[in-house]
Amino acid sequence: MTDETVSTWPPRRARTKGDKRYALIYETAARLFHEKGYEATTLDDLASEVGLRKGSLYHYIDSKEDLLFRIVDHTHRFFLEVVAQVVDAARSPLDEIFAIAAAHSRFAVENFYITSAFYSDRAALSADRRRAISRTRDAYEAKVRDLIREGQGRGEIADDLDPTLAARGLLGMLNSIQQRHRLSKEMTPDAVAEEYSRLCVRALRP
Amino acid sequence: MTDETVSTWPPRRARTKGDKRYALIYETAARLFHEKGYEATTLDDLASEVGLRKGSLYHYIDSKEDLLFRIVDHTHRFFLEVVAQVVDAARSPLDEIFAIAAAHSRFAVENFYITSAFYSDRAALSADRRRAISRTRDAYEAKVRDLIREGQGRGEIADDLDPTLAARGLLGMLNSIQQRHRLSKEMTPDAVAEEYSRLCVRALRP
Amino acid sequence: MTDETVSTWPPRRARTKGDKRYALIYETAARLFHEKGYEATTLDDLASEVGLRKGSLYHYIDSKEDLLFRIVDHTHRFFLEVVAQVVDAARSPLDEIFAIAAAHSRFAVENFYITSAFYSDRAALSADRRRAISRTRDAYEAKVRDLIREGQGRGEIADDLDPTLAARGLLGMLNSIQQRHRLSKEMTPDAVAEEYSRLCVRALRP
Amino acid sequence: MTDETVSTWPPRRARTKGDKRYALIYETAARLFHEKGYEATTLDDLASEVGLRKGSLYHYIDSKEDLLFRIVDHTHRFFLEVVAQVVDAARSPLDEIFAIAAAHSRFAVENFYITSAFYSDRAALSADRRRAISRTRDAYEAKVRDLIREGQGRGEIADDLDPTLAARGLLGMLNSIQQRHRLSKEMTPDAVAEEYSRLCVRALRP
DNA sequence: GATGAATGAGGTTTCATTCAT
DNA sequence: GATGAATGAAACCTCATTCAT
């Protein structure tokens, strides 16, 4: 669980030639969890979509919960990376928020299946894992909140906003993307990213 | 399913007089669905929280799915009513959006359990019922989209926004409220409503 | 359970003014058992057909099984009476068989609901009661078998028939009546009785 | 449901090779349905008789009702085949009836468990399946009725019999066989078949 | 690696029966 | 006499998981 890098999807296990099927299983699982919910998705559903029998899945996964965790965890790590990258002192807080919103949106459109699981099926995770996910979410939210505060200090962001509420509002908006938008000709990642980050920064301006 | 009024919760069964247990069951169910998800909530959980045995629940519900539907349907009807009420020619489109956002937010904070089920467990509903819910959501979204277009026509709302994307963004934000906010001394319905409707209208301004 | 007379239906309990409803319950139960089977008939079904709620039935019955037993037991006693009445030394064995077959047929057409339960839902009865029913059936069969043997002795009945098999065959035929025939203008008890007793005696002739 | 042949029992599933347990399940189910009735037989009963746990049965069956249907359907198909085979222009109608009765009887004695379910637990089947079974029974009855009519035309069968009633009477007799007779040293299929077909043709003769 | 068989725990639902009102 | 509420046992069925082959 510690050897995956954020930039590969699905998270790698051993480097075997079964990697292609391995990827297929994780992608299909993410889609099914998105479509039917984690609890309502059976391993039989998953197995038959990837052309295996139920029992054979256990060559690729440890458990159903572990499958969910790996998917969630991947999104998780990606968001951490995003935040890390935009911490760039050269930019203003509002610019950072714009950059975060754009990266978040783009990722959500491109990976809407896996993003979808991020906030919806936490209940199925073990208490430990759930706590881990919550910690990341809180850190993410805290980062945005701090940027808002900083922006208020600099007069870039309206004074009358409550930083906590505003941060949650913006992230709530960004986290709804994968519910409604998916890749299509009109709905390019860039178009969506542009629109949502615009909404975010305008909402904050004095 | 057609005789409930929006203003009573939980939806009343015709023949039942002031049935406290009936109300308790629906409220507890809404809370449990919120906390653990619909699939992960068992009727045993529900029964023991309301002080009954599993079998006894069936005096009050038809099925687990029906229980979910009644909860979702109630939110459903409330949102329709909200939209109906703000159709007030005297106001400008932006004012209407503000009014919708405020009413939506206030309801979400006051009824976060039942609102929570609205967008999260649709998958568990029968195809028919799911379609019914989707239709309402689409109508709601359409209303907001039209107001945005109208506001753009009047120059009240920024021209460079895509009305569809913007409408979804705002509603996505509003629908995230119950995930993060619940009633407390600092988190009054009014405070949240004020903040979120402010974010909404500011996000749209030219 | 011992105070009922064969000639009244339904079996009487206390002589109260609720007797009409009492009768209705037993008749309706017999019909439902016939239509859906004993196990598949619920007391809710029965209650709603007689215009009561489930709990109220218990003013009229002791238990569901008891209800079945009373119905079966009544048929039971009737057949015993039939056999007793035709034991008339003046007649020949074949005439007695004719008389039994005619009485049996007529009863089956007139009371097809209650007759139907006789042979079909024995499994639901307690071991004791099941044994009691079997004993009567065996006595009934023995009577017919003996008449066949006697008829063979007198040359009235074909020698090459096995009395046991033949008796079972005839009774099997008679017991199938209520499965296929019910009262109608063409299907009068007399017409059916005539036909079936004719088949019985002809089947036996040398 | 369409690939089974009449000559194999239990109905084979396409992919299964010589599966002894599969056969055992169907045979045991037929016996239990015969002994206790369909509704009163639980899958726990069945599972423990075949040495499995309840859940494991579902590798072999789709549902309890499906299990019943397959058993009933098999008898069903057998009777159709019997009727088809005796359609032999060379024989007289009475000979055909004799042949049908003999084949029916022999099958009933040899397969009394599965035959037993044929006419007793129809109520448990879905409306569609029940209708299918009734259609076959009616066709079977119609065949016998027509043979009786034809025989009357030729003077082989008594004129005063009603073909419908007589056909039902004979089939009622044949369908009672498995209630009372099962394989034993004295009760060979041939002895029973001989006796019952004799009763049938004698009952009809002028 | 793949599978069919088996499991066992647990889920929703039904229903005969009891009882206070 | 009638009922609504409650019960608890048991029913059918599902499914994640294990394992021998």
Side-chain angles (χ1 to χ4, degrees), chain D residues 21 52-53 55-56 59-60:
Chain D
R21 201 160 243 168
L52 286 175
R53 311 292 159 148
S56 315
H59 283 286
Y60 301 94

Side-chain angles (χ1 to χ4, degrees), chain C residues 1 65 69-70 72-77 79-80 118-119 122 125-140:
Chain C
M1 223 134 301
E65 191 233 344
F69 177 72
R70 290 181 120 87
V72 170
D73 187 54
H74 185 252
T75 312
H76 184 174
R77 288 159 181 271
F79 286 143
L80 282 180
F118 186 52
Y119 280 108
R122 272 194 315 274
L125 294 172
S126 71
D128 272 2
R129 292 178 153 177
R130 198 162 51 242
R131 253 192 309 275
I133 300 296
S134 290
R135 260 196 307 273
T136 317
R137 186 187 58 176
D138 291 346
Y140 192 28

Side-chain angles (χ1 to χ4, degrees), chain C residues 21 53 56 59-60:
Chain C
R21 195 163 255 170
R53 310 294 162 135
S56 316
H59 291 289
Y60 301 94

Side-chain angles (χ1 to χ4, degrees), chain A residues 60-84:
Chain A
Y60 301 94
I61 69 173
D62 290 343
S63 71
K64 193 187 173 192
E65 191 232 344
D66 181 67
L67 185 54
L68 173 63
F69 177 71
R70 290 181 121 85
I71 292 169
V72 170
D73 188 54
H74 185 253
T75 311
H76 185 170
R77 288 160 182 271
F78 179 86
F79 287 143
L80 283 180
E81 232 181 36
V82 166
V83 169

Side-chain angles (χ1 to χ4, degrees), chain B residues 47 51 54 59 80 98-99 108 119 135 161-162 173 175 179 190 192 196 201:
Chain B
K54 204 169 24 171
H59 283 285
L80 283 179
F98 185 92
Y119 282 107
R135 262 197 305 274
L161 292 174
D162 176 289
M173 182 165 74
N175 280 321
Q179 284 173 30
D190 281 343
V192 175
Y196 274 80
V201 298

Side-chain angles (χ1 to χ4, degrees), chain B residues 13 63 90 97 111 118 141 145:
Chain B
R13 289 212 287 202
S63 69
I97 289 174
N111 304 83
F118 186 51
E141 186 182 301
R145 188 176 58 235

